[in-house]
Amino acid sequence: MRNARRFKHKDKRSACQAHAQRRARQRFGVTVGYAELDDIVFQIQRGKAEHIRAQSNRVSVWRVALREEKVLVVYDRSRKVIVTILPKEAT
């Protein structure tokens, strides 16, 4: 199985969520569940997050509250999902 993928996901949305979870653990040492990712999306959709910049027509960077601190996330508007959580140095 030379080309076997390490992570198998049902769709692109679940792959994005898994990636964001891995980056939160790697960059901030916290385990983020699907409910917390959905809460971050809710913050963005309800105007409770700060828009930083657009990367394309569908992807943008936002500053959101994650537990007790503000972090930067990349949000995909068409899929309504957090793509990744950026490192502290990006702020």
Side-chain angles (χ1 to χ4, degrees):
M1 295 201 331
R2 182 178 152 176
N3 291 328
R5 291 178 4 183
R6 183 173 169 200
F7 300 101
K8 294 187 179 184
H9 300 285
K10 191 167 75 172
D11 56 11
K12 180 70 173 178
R13 187 174 197 283
S14 63
C16 288
Q17 287 179 317
H19 176 82
Q21 288 175 319
R22 285 193 308 273
R23 292 300 175 248
R25 189 171 39 257
Q26 175 189 39
R27 294 172 175 160
F28 295 95
V30 297
T31 302
V32 177
Y34 291 116
E36 282 182 292
L37 291 175
D38 289 342
D39 182 56
I40 292 171
V41 170
F42 185 78
Q43 289 178 48
I44 292 169
Q45 292 174 341
R46 299 297 181 251
K48 297 179 188 270
E50 178 187 354
H51 183 260
I52 303 299
R53 67 182 173 275
Q55 289 187 329
S56 69
N57 285 336
R58 66 178 177 80
V59 176
S60 55
V61 178
W62 293 81
R63 180 173 285 119
V64 298
L66 176 63
R67 300 186 184 171
E68 299 298 320
E69 58 184 308
K70 296 283 189 174
V71 298
L72 293 181
V73 299
V74 177
Y75 173 68
D76 184 331
R77 185 182 65 201
S78 66
R79 292 186 176 95
K80 297 180 177 73
V81 67
I82 301 303
V83 176
T84 192
I85 299 174
L86 297 173
K88 290 179 185 179
E89 300 83 44
T91 60

